[in-house]
Every structure is written in structure tokens, then in C-alpha cells.
Amino acid sequence: MKVLVINCGSSSLKYQLIDMENESVIAKGLCERIGIDGSMLTHQPVNKDKYVVEKDMPSHKEAIELVMSALTDAEHGVIKDTSEINAIGHRVLHGGMKFTQSIVVNEQVKEVIRECFDLGPLHNPANLMGIEACEAAMPGTPNVAVFDTTFGMSMPEKAYMYAIPHEYFEKYSIRRYGFHGTSHMFVSGETIKFAELDPENAKVIVCHLGNGASISASIGGKCVDTSMGLTPLEGLIMGTRSGDVDPAVVQFICNKENLTVNEVLNILNKKSGVLGMSGGVSSDFRDIEAAKEAGNHLAKVAMDAYIYRVVKYIGAYTAAMNGVDAIAFTAGLGENDKKTRKEICECLSYLGVKIDDEANDIRGQKRIISAADSKVKVVLLPTNEELAIARETVALV
Ligand code: AMP
């Protein structure tokens, strides 16, 4: 069975064709600058040369058509005909409270994705365009929506309700949803299998530390808490997002700088995090660490604060679950930065966490990195959201 996985952004479309017999990627690629001058497709078939097409893509419809012709191209393609694609799995950002799991797309599902435009204004419209473009290009092939928010749907009320007047929840569904859900679901599930934990009761904390960063607590693979909220702004310090701040900061900056709430939120989303804290060094953690090594005090404070926030959340989630069996690291920083993993783990000695330096000396590969006598297993587990989406798709079709 072959599954095409589609991840649409407002001006981009990423895809992977996966053979689910052995869960291997057959081809992947990216359409960039959709709706903007200079659009192009980069198609990478496995075991063949990269193929770049520069062609106008006024909308996601043309982008999907270009992907289909690349996949079936006589020279660069990997399938003879699009009928070889059995199903399409779409990453959809926000499913609101209606979807507690992935679902085969029909008109009602599309309507709910549309109703959630307010909650995911940058992503949901693009996600819907991707679905409709696939429906037009491959009529009859099932489309499955895999929501970034469904993992957080198992949170109990005490974890997802904000302490604000209840009418706002009733009127506007304002609550904590959590994001990176597909990654947290994949990594927590794989950690349970890989570390041979009890599938029903294992208490796992997943640290998804990328440019966007979030952390989740789950029991038996079901989310009980996660750090992102109504939007991805809440929680950990990120590359450019502030994570948790006192909301009064917004009002204060508005008044002092004569800015609107939207403008300050833009600052909290795009100009804060380690980029803002370091005085503008970079949003890339490699640059922050290099600046810190070179003696830049603000870069040091940014990195220290980043680690401190992760450590505080791990402590909070261990308390929330009354224990923890495994801590997993994933995403760009989590998979590649042994120093940060070690520094975080060293702050967790009170939990009996002991890192094995030799095992931790690795990048991007699944491995237990804690010492044999560590009370908590620490795991490096590369995330694979595309595979998780493909698995969900297969399960539903
Ligand atoms: P992602 O959003 O998962 O693609 O992660 C991107 C982030 O991972 C960037 O901020 C990178 O700086 C960070 N990253 C990747 N490799 C390393 C590394 N070796 N050390 C520190 N950070 C890294």
C-alpha cells in the first residue's frame, strides 16, 4: 500500500510517498513560493537524482498537479500512474474540539476544518486547500486528516481549562489544545515500545525541542498534559517564541511602545525566544551556543533560561503523573545536541536520572542514553511525523 503524505503551509507544500509494506520513503519533495513569483518544486526520489522544476504555482491546486506529474514522470518518477497511490494523509493543524482522532475526509470534516480557521489562521486554510486540490487531482482516492491537536484531546479538564471566565470556553472554545501532537504521539508510542515499558501505564515525558518546542506528559501513550495552549505560543522558550509570559507584559509593551495587541503578539511569536533574549544573535540554537562559548552574556542567559524552562516542565509533569518512567528527546535540538540533553539530565538527578555520556554521544538515532542504573530511562527518539500520518491513514482506510 502506498500513502502520499501532504503537509501544506500557506505558501509551501511538503510531501512524501511512503510504501507502507516496509514503511520506507519512495520519494519526497517540497513546493515553495506557492502564489508568489518564482515558485519551484524540488523532488527527491530515493536512489535517483534530485529533480527541480521552476514553474508558476498560483495555488495549491497547481502545486499538487506538479507533484503528481513529478511522481509519475518517465525519468524522475517513482510510480507509473497516480492510481498506485492508495490513500492520502494530510497534516491539519487544528481540529478544534470536534475531532478526538484522525478521520477520513468528507464534506462535514471539511466544514469543521473551515470552522477552525479562527483557531489556526495561518495553517487551516492552507491545509483545506491541499485536501481540495488532492480531491480534484485524484477523485475517488481517500483523504485522511491527521490533526496536530488530537493528541491533546485526551487531557483532563483540569489540564486544559484556563482559569478565565467560563463563558469564553462556551462561546469560543478557548482552552489549551497543544500542538506538535503527531510528533508527541509518535515519539511517546515508540518510546514505550523501544524502552519496553508497560503499554497501558507507562509514564512518558516527550521533549520536542526544535525551532518550535513543546513538551508532553502521557500515560500509556495518552496525553495528560502538554505545554502549548490555545496557540503554539505557550510553554517552552523557543527559537523565536517567548513561551509562557505574564499576559500583563502585552498590555505594558502596548502602552509604552504605542503598539497594538496584534503587533505585540507578533513580537512574542516572531522576535522573542532565544532570538529576542540574546539581543538578536539568532533563532538557531547552534549560533546561540557558539555565541555563548565566545563569551556573549545574553546568549548564555538565553541558553540557561531555555534549559531551565525545560527542567521546570519536566518537574511539573513528573508531579502531575506522580512519577515518570521515561524521558524522550526529539526534534532538531533534542536529536542533535548532546550537550543540552546532558545539561537537562544533570538537573534531574533528584529523580535518579543518570545519563551515559558514551551512549549520549550520538545524533539522530534511536538509542537509550541513560546509564543502566538510572531510575528513569532517557531515550533519543527521532520524530517522524510523516510516518505517523501515514500509519494513521492506513489504519483508517
Ligand atoms: P526543527 O524545528 O526540529 O527542524 O529544529 C531546528 C532547530 O534545531 C534549529 O534551531 C537548530 O539550531 C537546532 N539544531 C539542529 N542541530 C543542532 C545541533 N547540533 N546543536 C544545537 N542545535 C541544533
Side-chain angles (χ1 to χ4, degrees):
M1 181 170 189
K2 293 188 178 76
V3 173
L4 179 64
V5 177
I6 299 282
N7 182 357
C8 283
S10 51
S11 65
S12 68
L13 185 158
K14 281 192 234 158
Y15 63 93
Q16 276 193 13
L17 185 63
I18 303 179
D19 184 348
M20 293 307 287
E21 297 306 319
N22 51 10
E23 298 194 328
S24 65
V25 177
I26 308 169
K28 60 181 173 183
L30 166 70
C31 300
E32 292 169 276
R33 300 180 65 86
I34 299 170
I36 310 172
D37 280 352
S39 28
M40 68 173 190
L41 162 89
T42 310
H43 175 71
Q44 179 65 70
V46 167
N47 301 330
K48 284 190 190 176
D49 288 343
K50 195 186 275 181
Y51 171 51
V52 178
V53 187
E54 288 178 22
K55 193 169 175 206
D56 256 10
M57 292 179 242
S59 75
H60 289 75
K61 183 170 176 291
E62 290 79 13
I64 284 287
E65 284 166 4
L66 212 56
V67 170
M68 293 308 155
S69 58
L71 288 171
T72 53
D73 185 83
E75 193 180 340
H76 307 282
V78 287
I79 50 175
K80 285 207 176 70
D81 190 274
T82 53
S83 63
E84 286 180 47
I85 299 171
N86 304 95
I88 308 160
H90 296 263
R91 180 184 182 206
V92 181
L93 182 82
H94 223 301
M97 288 181 62
K98 292 257 167 68
F99 298 120
T100 52
Q101 53 195 28
S102 307
I103 190 161
V104 177
V105 175
N106 59 22
E107 288 307 313
Q108 280 159 317
V109 172
K110 287 199 282 180
E111 196 43 48
V112 176
I113 296 174
R114 218 169 274 124
E115 282 167 17
C116 293
F117 278 7
D118 263 3
L119 291 168
L122 295 181
H123 293 84
N124 269 40
N127 301 149
L128 186 60
M129 277 194 272
I131 290 172
E132 291 183 330
C134 286
E135 286 176 333
M138 283 177 286
T141 307
N143 287 280
V144 170
V146 180
F147 300 93
D148 229 29
T149 47
T150 52
F151 185 68
M153 282 295 111
S154 57
M155 276 191 274
E157 280 175 306
K158 65 183 175 187
Y160 74 68
M161 290 300 268
Y162 286 117
I164 60 174
H166 190 67
E167 61 182 284
Y168 300 122
F169 172 73
E170 285 182 348
K171 279 203 261 186
Y172 310 119
S173 307
I174 294 178
R175 51 162 279 177
R176 305 184 60 260
Y177 289 93
F179 296 86
H180 294 144
T182 314
S183 174
H184 285 286
M185 177 185 72
F186 179 82
V187 175
S188 58
E190 292 293 304
T191 297
I192 290 173
K193 281 192 249 165
F194 186 58
E196 298 177 347
L197 303 174
D198 173 359
E200 301 294 321
N201 302 303
K203 296 170 178 174
V204 176
I205 294 177
V206 173
C207 307
H208 177 113
L209 310 180
N211 196 21
S214 60
I215 181 163
S216 68
S218 59
I219 301 182
K222 291 217 160 38
C223 176
V224 295
D225 208 341
T226 187
S227 60
M228 285 176 166
L230 174 72
T231 78
L233 186 54
E234 192 177 338
L236 300 180
I237 296 172
M238 313 185 205
T240 64
R241 294 193 193 111
S242 62
D244 300 334
V245 289
D246 178 347
V249 166
V250 177
Q251 180 201 34
F252 205 88
I253 299 177
C254 280
N255 291 342
K256 292 283 181 194
E257 298 273 323
N258 201 18
L259 295 173
T260 64
V261 169
N262 284 358
E263 285 168 332
V264 177
L265 279 183
N266 195 42
I267 291 168
L268 293 184
N269 269 301
K270 301 202 171 135
K271 296 184 179 164
S272 301
V274 292
L275 170 71
M277 280 189 89
S278 63
V281 168
S282 175
S283 62
D284 191 305
F285 288 90
R286 285 164 288 202
D287 300 336
I288 296 289
E289 285 177 27
K292 174 184 155 182
E293 293 307 320
N296 183 318
H297 177 65
L298 292 185
K300 178 182 177 338
V301 176
M303 212 53 226
D304 289 352
Y306 179 84
I307 289 170
Y308 180 64
R309 182 84 53 94
V310 174
V311 168
K312 280 209 295 188
Y313 264 94
I314 292 174
Y317 285 174
T318 303
M321 296 192 289
N322 193 10
V324 58
D325 298 309
I327 298 169
F329 287 98
T330 198
L333 182 84
E335 290 171 27
N336 292 302
D337 185 356
K338 64 178 178 185
K339 197 159 162 284
T340 298
R341 290 195 299 261
K342 182 175 162 75
E343 279 185 42
I344 292 170
C345 288
E346 279 174 350
C347 299
L348 303 172
S349 56
Y350 73 99
L351 290 174
V353 169
K354 271 194 214 163
I355 196 135
D356 176 334
D357 285 334
E358 216 173 290
N360 186 40
D361 189 7
I362 191 170
R363 293 173 66 161
Q365 278 179 50
K366 190 154 68 167
R367 184 185 274 182
I368 296 190
I369 57 172
S370 46
D373 61 344
S374 178
K375 289 213 177 93
V376 180
K377 285 192 173 152
V378 184
V379 182
L380 194 175
L381 215 139
T383 191
N384 192 338
E385 290 169 88
E386 289 79 11
L387 179 58
I389 292 170
R391 284 181 184 171
E392 289 284 292
T393 305
V394 171
L396 282 168
V397 302

